[in-house]
Amino acid sequence: MNIIQVKNEWKARAKLTNDDYEAWYRRSVEDPDGFWGEHGKRVDWMTPFTKVKNTSFAPGNIDIRWFEDGTLNVAANCIDRHLDKRGDQTAILWEGDDPSESKAITYRELHAEVCRMANALKARGVKKGDRVTIYMPMIPEAAYAMLASARIGAIHSVVFGGFSPDALAGRLDGAASDVLITADEGLRGGRTVPLKKNADRACDIAAKAGHAVKTVLVVRRTGADVPWTESRDVWWHEAREKASADCPPEEMGAEDPLFILYTSGSTGKPKGVLHTTGGYLVFAAMTHEYVFDYHDGDIYWCTADVGWVTGHSYIVYGPLANGATTLMFEGVPNYPDTSRFWQVIDKHKVNIFYTAPTAIRALMGAGDDKVTTTSRKSLKVLGTVGEPINPEAWNWYYRVVGEERSPIVDTWWQTETGGILITPLPGATDLKPGSATRPFFGVIPQLVDNDGTALEGVAEGNLCITDSWPGQMRTIYGDHDRFEQTYFSTYKGKYFTGDGAKCDEDGYWWITGRVDDVINVSGHRMGTAEVESALVSHPKVSEAAVVGYPHDIKGQGIYCYVTLMEGQEPSEALKKELVAHVREEIGPIASPDKIQFAPGLPKTRSGKIMRRILRKIAEDDFGALGDTSTLAYPAVVDDLVENRENRK
Ligand code: WTA
C-alpha cells in the first residue's frame, strides 16, 4: 500500500499535529457540547448561545438544532467583523474568463457593494424569510447577491448558470421566489451564455405553473442587448446608484434558514436542501481553516461554481468568515489553453488550490508540459472534491502539479452535509492516494450492510453517519416528511449518505461511489430519473432507462436505453434530437453520452426495470449479468447485448 507520510515541512507549517487531531476528535465525539460550545465561539454572535446541541435522528422525530438560542448574521460575520483589521485586504480576487481581466475587491468595498444590493432588494419589498433566486455567472455580484440576501435575512437559492430555463423555472416555482437575480450574459471559455434570455423563459414557464416572479435584477456583464420587461426588470447598475452603502444586518436566529440549494436524488424531482444560519457558518468556517490549514494572508482558490454547494461553503462562506482572500474564477480550465489553472496560480500566487478530479484527469491528459512550464511555487495545499479520485490522477496531481511539496486533501462531503466530513488534515494525516482518510471533528461514520447491521473494523458497506454535526441540512424545503424518508428511513436512527465505502485496517475511509440511482458526471450530481423523465417527455419516446458507466475523464458517463413509440424509426438523427432535447430540458451537463435504442427493457414480472443488468451491459461486462431468471422476457437482454454502444 502506497502511503505518503506527513513531511516535516508540512508539520512545521500546520496548525494541528496528528496528536492534536486524535485528541480533538475524541473530545468532539465524547463531549460534543463542550467541543462545539468552544468552537461555536469562532463566529460573532449578537446574542450568545447557551444551548449547543439539540438533535434527534429518532424515527418520527428528526429534529436538528445547533446553538438554537443564539442570534447572529452571516454577512456581518463574513464582512463587517473584518473591517477594523483588514478593511483594505482583498476579500474577493476575481479572475475573468479573458486572462487580461481581473480585479480585487477589498473587504471595505465588499461591505459597500453588499449593503447596496441588500438595500436594492429591500426597496423591492424583500424581507426576512423571503426567497431570492440567483442565476449568475462567476462574477463578484454572485457573491454580493448571496451575502445581500443573508444580510437582510432572505433565503437564497442559487441555481447553476448551466441549467436550462425549465430547470430554473422548477426551482423558482418550488421555492415560490418573487425575486430573481441574474446577468445579461455569462462568459465562459470565450463563449456567451444567454442568462437573461433563459431567465425570461423560466419566468414564463413559472408563471404558467402559477408562480409569477415580480422582480428580475439584472447585472450587466457583457453589455449584450437583452429582452426587457419594464414592469419587472431592473438593471443592477441603475438600482445601485440609488442604493445606500449602509444596511444594518438583520439579527437572525441560529436556526433561521440561510439558503436552499436544489440537488438531485434517486427520485425525479430535485430536492431543496435547506441549511440554516449558526451551525452551518461555524462548520463551514472551521472546516475551511483546518482542512486547508488556512493561515492569515493565504491566497485561497476553489475552482467550483457558486451554483454548487462547494461554491457556497468554500468560495463564499467559509473563506470570508475566516477573513481570507478567496479567488473567484469566471472561466474554464482549458481556455485560452489547458495551462490556465497553473497560470492563474502563478499570476495570483495562490497558496491553497481546491478542484475536482474530473478537471485533474482532463488536464493530466493535456500533457505534463502544460504544467511544468509554470512555476506553482506558491502552492502549499492541494485539495479535491466531488467524486472518488483514482490513484493515477491523485499521483499526477501530487507529483506533477504539486512536485511532492504539497499534501493533497481528498475531501468527501455532500450538499446535505454543508461542509467536509471525511478528509485528511495537512501536516497531520498520512495520505493514501484514493482515500478520503479520516472523519473531521464531530463526525461519526459507520458502515452498514443491506439489512442495516453495523459493520465494525475492516469492512465494506453503505455509508451512514450516526450523529449530527453542526453543518448538517435541517430539512427539505417545505417537505420534512420527505427529509426523513430520504435520509433516515433506510437505516433507522442513522443518516444514510447514499454512498458506498470501505474502511481499512488503519481506520481510513475509501468512498466507492453512489449506491443509489444518482450518478456523478464530471463531479456534477445527477439523478438518472431526471434524465429519464426528460427523455420520455420527447413525443417519440415511449420509455427510457438511464445508467452511469465508467468514463475516463468524466468519472461516469450517461448511458440511455430508449424505447420508441410505435411506428418511430431509430436513426442517428433521432439520437442527436434526443441529446438536444435533454440539454434543453435540464442543461448541457446532462447531455447523454450514449443512446441505445431498445425494443424492450429488461423487467421483472411485476414490471420493475432491472437496472443491474442495464449497468452491466453499459459497462460491456455482460458475461456477469447474474441471475436473469426473474425477467419477464429474458430475450430482450440478448438484443440489448447485441446492440450495445460500449464495446471494450
Ligand atoms: C461524491 C459535493 C468520493 C459522493 C461536495 C457524494 C465524493 C456526492 C467526494 C455529493 C470525494 C463528493 N470522494 N466521492 N472526495 N466528494 N463525492 O452533493 O458520491 O454535489 O455523495 O456535493 O459526491 O455531491 P454533491
Side-chain angles (χ1 to χ4, degrees):
M1 168 59 60
N2 181 11
I3 298 185
I4 289 153
Q5 275 166 350
V6 170
K7 296 190 177 189
N8 286 334
E9 53 278 26
W10 304 347
K11 258 187 216 161
R13 170 184 139 93
K15 288 192 167 170
L16 299 184
T17 64
N18 191 47
D19 288 347
D20 295 332
Y21 166 78
E22 306 263 355
W24 287 34
Y25 181 75
R26 208 170 316 116
R27 177 161 180 241
S28 73
V29 297
E30 285 169 5
D31 175 22
D33 279 300
F35 181 86
W36 290 112
E38 196 175 304
H39 291 285
K41 293 185 186 133
R42 65 176 299 126
V43 305
D44 284 358
W45 296 84
M46 292 169 166
T47 314
F49 56 86
T50 65
K51 295 183 195 157
V52 179
K53 181 175 187 284
N54 181 7
T55 65
S56 157
F57 285 4
N61 179 35
I62 310 296
D63 193 5
I64 299 154
R65 299 161 200 248
W66 285 88
F67 314 112
E68 59 187 303
D69 60 349
T71 65
L72 73 166
N73 182 282
V74 166
N77 268 285
C78 289
I79 310 169
D80 306 38
R81 69 164 170 163
H82 305 309
L83 292 178
D84 278 349
K85 238 177 88 186
R86 45 178 126 248
D88 298 320
Q89 182 201 305
T90 301
I92 298 177
L93 189 52
W94 179 75
E95 168 78 12
D97 186 55
D98 181 328
S100 68
E101 266 194 288
S102 58
K103 68 181 167 195
I105 295 112
T106 66
Y107 272 96
R108 208 177 308 289
E109 288 164 338
L110 181 63
H111 180 261
E113 292 303 316
V114 168
C115 284
R116 286 199 182 95
M117 202 176 278
N119 282 324
L121 293 175
K122 268 184 163 174
R124 276 144 197 96
V126 181
K127 39 183 206 320
K128 183 172 172 174
D130 289 351
R131 277 80 51 218
V132 171
T133 301
I134 299 172
Y135 182 63
M136 288 279 265
M138 285 291 287
I139 55 178
E141 287 81 358
Y144 304 163
M146 293 164 75
L147 291 160
S149 303
R151 194 166 189 89
I152 61 175
I155 307 167
H156 62 68
S157 162
V158 184
V159 178
F160 174 57
F163 275 125
S164 68
D166 266 304
L168 174 59
R171 287 152 173 82
L172 283 166
D173 186 34
S177 177
D178 288 342
V179 179
L180 172 61
I181 306 179
T182 188
D184 51 1
E185 291 181 323
L187 201 54
R188 290 185 84 225
R191 286 202 291 247
T192 56
V193 185
L195 293 175
K196 174 65 166 67
K197 226 160 105 192
N198 289 350
D200 282 354
R201 278 183 52 207
C203 288
D204 289 345
I205 300 166
K208 284 200 191 98
H211 179 75
V213 172
K214 299 198 182 95
T215 303
V216 180
L217 186 62
V218 188
V219 176
R220 192 153 72 189
R221 168 63 188 104
T222 63
D225 251 345
V226 289
W228 206 253
T229 304
E230 271 313 322
S231 55
R232 184 196 68 191
D233 299 347
V234 184
W235 279 114
W236 160 237
H237 60 268
E238 287 172 8
R240 184 179 173 278
E241 293 284 294
K242 295 179 211 119
S244 148
D246 179 32
C247 173
E250 188 79 26
E251 181 168 354
M252 304 297 287
E255 287 302 336
D256 282 337
L258 176 65
F259 66 84
I260 301 167
L261 188 53
Y262 283 86
T263 192
S264 300
S266 319
T267 53
K269 254 179 115 188
K271 304 177 288 264
V273 167
L274 185 95
H275 282 287
T276 58
T277 300
Y280 171 81
L281 187 68
V282 168
F283 198 71
M286 183 158 172
T287 46
H288 174 260
E289 177 176 355
Y290 292 107
V291 172
F292 300 107
D293 191 36
Y294 169 76
H295 292 248
D296 272 354
D298 282 347
I299 307 290
Y300 164 87
W301 181 18
C302 164
T303 68
D305 189 284
V306 290
W308 311 114
V309 75
T310 308
H312 285 58
S313 301
Y314 299 113
I315 294 177
V316 179
Y317 292 120
L320 294 178
N322 290 337
T325 296
T326 183
L327 196 150
M328 193 173 183
F329 177 43
E330 185 183 35
V332 293
N334 59 356
Y335 179 82
D337 64 59
T338 44
S339 211
R340 185 72 189 274
F341 272 2
W342 327 122
Q343 286 163 359
V344 173
I345 288 171
D346 284 353
K347 175 173 172 186
H348 297 293
K349 306 277 177 293
V350 171
N351 305 116
I352 302 167
F353 178 67
Y354 190 31
T355 194
T358 187
I360 297 168
R361 287 191 298 265
L363 296 174
M364 182 167 80
D368 291 4
D369 59 325
K370 293 289 176 193
V371 186
T372 52
T373 45
T374 63
S375 155
R376 289 155 288 111
K377 284 285 181 284
S378 55
L379 287 174
K380 294 180 192 165
V381 174
L382 298 172
T384 82
V385 60
E387 52 178 317
I389 180 163
N390 45 314
E392 193 195 357
W394 195 104
N395 282 312
W396 183 82
Y397 196 31
Y398 181 68
R399 248 183 342 94
V400 179
V401 176
E403 296 174 351
E404 306 187 15
R405 282 181 287 104
S406 309
I408 294 182
V409 290
D410 173 359
T411 64
W412 174 84
W413 60 297
Q414 311 177 295
T415 306
E416 292 87 340
T417 71
I420 294 163
L421 295 199
I422 303 183
T423 178
L425 301 184
T429 313
D430 290 339
L431 306 171
K432 298 186 188 183
S435 170
T437 79
R438 299 185 300 188
F440 190 74
F441 308 123
V443 176
I444 313 172
Q446 186 181 65
L447 295 175
V448 298
D449 67 15
N450 289 341
D451 302 325
T453 308
L455 308 169
E456 305 294 335
V458 178
E460 176 164 5
N462 304 305
L463 180 63
C464 294
I465 312 288
T466 63
D467 200 357
S468 185
W469 62 98
Q472 184 173 24
M473 74 183 283
R474 301 303 197 252
T475 194
I476 291 175
Y477 184 70
D479 198 347
H480 199 64
D481 285 344
R482 190 172 170 208
F483 178 52
E484 170 157 5
Q485 192 54 37
T486 308
Y487 301 105
F488 299 92
S489 69
T490 320
Y491 306 111
K492 298 236 177 321
K494 304 178 207 298
Y495 168 78
F496 175 43
T497 64
D499 278 317
K502 292 192 274 205
C503 187
D504 74 10
E505 58 287 354
D506 296 320
Y508 273 43
W509 295 84
W510 301 73
I511 309 298
T512 51
R514 301 289 302 199
V515 293
D516 54 8
D517 290 322
V518 171
I519 53 178
N520 198 320
V521 183
S522 300
H524 299 320
R525 179 173 159 177
M526 213 168 309
T528 51
E530 279 171 74
V531 184
E532 287 164 7
S533 66
L535 284 165
V536 296
S537 73
H538 189 282
K540 293 179 188 160
V541 174
S542 128
E543 199 171 29
V546 172
V547 297
Y549 70 95
H551 187 287
D552 284 348
I553 305 286
K554 299 180 178 184
Q556 281 187 298
I558 303 179
Y559 195 112
C560 310
Y561 297 89
V562 172
T563 306
L564 295 175
M565 292 285 190
E566 227 18 78
Q568 294 297 335
E569 284 302 314
S571 68
E572 285 307 310
L574 182 51
K575 277 188 190 174
K576 289 209 179 89
E577 195 176 315
L578 294 179
V579 170
H581 180 71
V582 173
R583 292 171 68 99
E584 178 83 18
E585 290 282 308
I586 305 176
I589 56 170
S591 287
D593 294 283
K594 307 274 176 188
I595 292 184
Q596 176 174 354
F597 292 114
L601 296 172
K603 289 184 189 165
T604 60
R605 286 182 200 104
S606 60
K608 215 168 146 330
I609 294 177
M610 291 186 74
R611 289 167 180 285
R612 178 176 53 82
I613 292 178
L614 294 177
R615 267 185 230 119
K616 288 285 178 196
I617 297 172
E619 285 165 18
D620 196 18
D621 186 18
F622 53 88
L625 284 185
D627 185 10
T628 54
S629 64
T630 52
L631 283 174
Y633 302 101
V636 297
V637 173
D638 299 337
D639 178 85
L640 293 177
V641 168
E642 181 65 31
N643 294 302
R644 68 194 185 280
E645 287 285 322
N646 275 339
R647 287 163 207 265
K648 280 182 194 140

